[in-house]
Amino acid sequence: MRIRRAELGDARAIGSIYNHEVVTSIATFDIVPWTTSDERSWLERHQGAHPAVVAVAEPRSEHDLLGAHGEAVLGFGALSPYRERPGYATTVEDSVYVDARHRKAGIGRAILEELIRLASAHGFHTIIARIGGRNEASIALHRACGFEWVGVEREVGRKHGVWLDVVELQRML
Ligand SMILES: CC(C)(COP(=O)(O)OP(=O)(O)OC[C@H]1O[C@@H](n2cnc3c(N)ncnc32)[C@H](O)[C@@H]1OP(=O)(O)O)[C@@H](O)C(=O)NCCC(=O)NCCS
């Protein structure tokens, strides 16, 4: 497995991993699955200072999600602007998603470590993780990568008929 920058040829695989969470979980507060056009525009926005990365491996099964260069895409992550106002420009927010069939194998950690490295290399000062629904796996992942607890925004989201908290963690760079 290796981590590389995401390319437009990875858009469909990224969208499949993401849409699984849109439909089945509270990991994202999106409610309507991305279209192929959403996938491409998301990738186009995640170039340069706010990149997207993918975890890829040699394909092994017909069920693999194929990305650019015929590689199997196991997960992805990205840095995004934290807030629009210019005073926040030195802060980024991260996101990490691993294909449900490949979890608990160190892939999320490898993606997040690469995002931290890129954020530092790109001159950002701090990374925020905003984690919906008190998601234990994501909290454990971020803690394992040196993020510290900031606090809880109570019941700021609603999905699948329930109120959802957002937990915020932060890592200084
Ligand atoms: C959160 C997520 C990215 C973790 O990816 P992963 O590849 O399974 O994580 P890793 O195997 O790299 O594990 C990283 C750490 O988190 C811990 N962890 C992972 N899943 C866990 C779980 N379900 N419960 C408790 N701890 C967990 C691991 O033990 C590991 O800690 P360690 O390195 O100290 O042993 C993955 O569960 C996922 O994609 N979930 C759905 C999408 C999502 O919630 N994304 C985050 C949005 S904020």
Side-chain angles (χ1 to χ4, degrees):
M1 189 267 293
R2 72 185 177 101
I3 311 290
R4 63 161 169 78
R5 291 291 186 101
E7 302 173 27
L8 274 181
D10 302 311
R12 198 67 277 279
I14 288 172
S16 297
I17 294 170
Y18 186 73
N19 283 342
H20 178 78
E21 299 308 315
V22 172
V23 174
T24 65
S25 85
I26 43 81
T28 165
F29 285 6
D30 264 343
I31 289 174
V32 177
W34 281 354
T35 62
T36 49
S37 150
D38 295 332
E39 292 161 6
R40 287 181 71 86
S41 74
W42 182 87
L43 256 178
E44 281 160 7
R45 288 197 307 280
H46 287 90
Q47 309 288 329
H50 297 97
V53 299
V54 282
V56 294
E58 289 298 313
R60 287 193 183 161
S61 122
E62 59 181 309
H63 303 298
D64 285 332
L65 301 170
L66 293 184
H69 318 293
E71 292 171 310
V73 177
L74 312 179
F76 72 96
L79 298 175
S80 302
Y82 172 60
R83 291 274 194 275
E84 274 184 24
R85 294 204 169 100
Y88 288 114
T90 50
T91 300
V92 280
E93 190 173 328
D94 76 85
S95 47
V96 183
Y97 290 83
V98 173
D99 184 330
R101 296 165 296 182
H102 297 286
R103 290 187 190 155
K104 292 201 170 177
I107 294 168
R109 188 176 186 137
I111 292 170
L112 186 53
E113 282 174 351
E114 177 63 1
L115 292 176
I116 293 166
R117 190 190 72 74
L118 286 167
S120 192
H122 293 184
F124 293 111
H125 187 60
T126 187
I127 307 187
I128 299 283
R130 298 188 71 252
I131 300 172
R134 295 184 180 260
N135 174 343
E136 296 291 334
S138 185
I139 293 170
L141 165 66
H142 284 86
R143 281 203 183 281
C145 289
F147 283 66
E148 291 174 356
W149 186 266
V150 175
V152 181
E153 295 168 17
R154 291 179 55 198
E155 299 189 356
V156 291
R158 189 162 174 86
K159 185 173 178 184
H160 296 163
V162 289
W163 295 111
L164 297 167
D165 293 345
V166 169
V167 167
E168 191 168 301
L169 283 84
Q170 177 173 22
R171 182 181 152 134
M172 304 306 293
L173 295 169

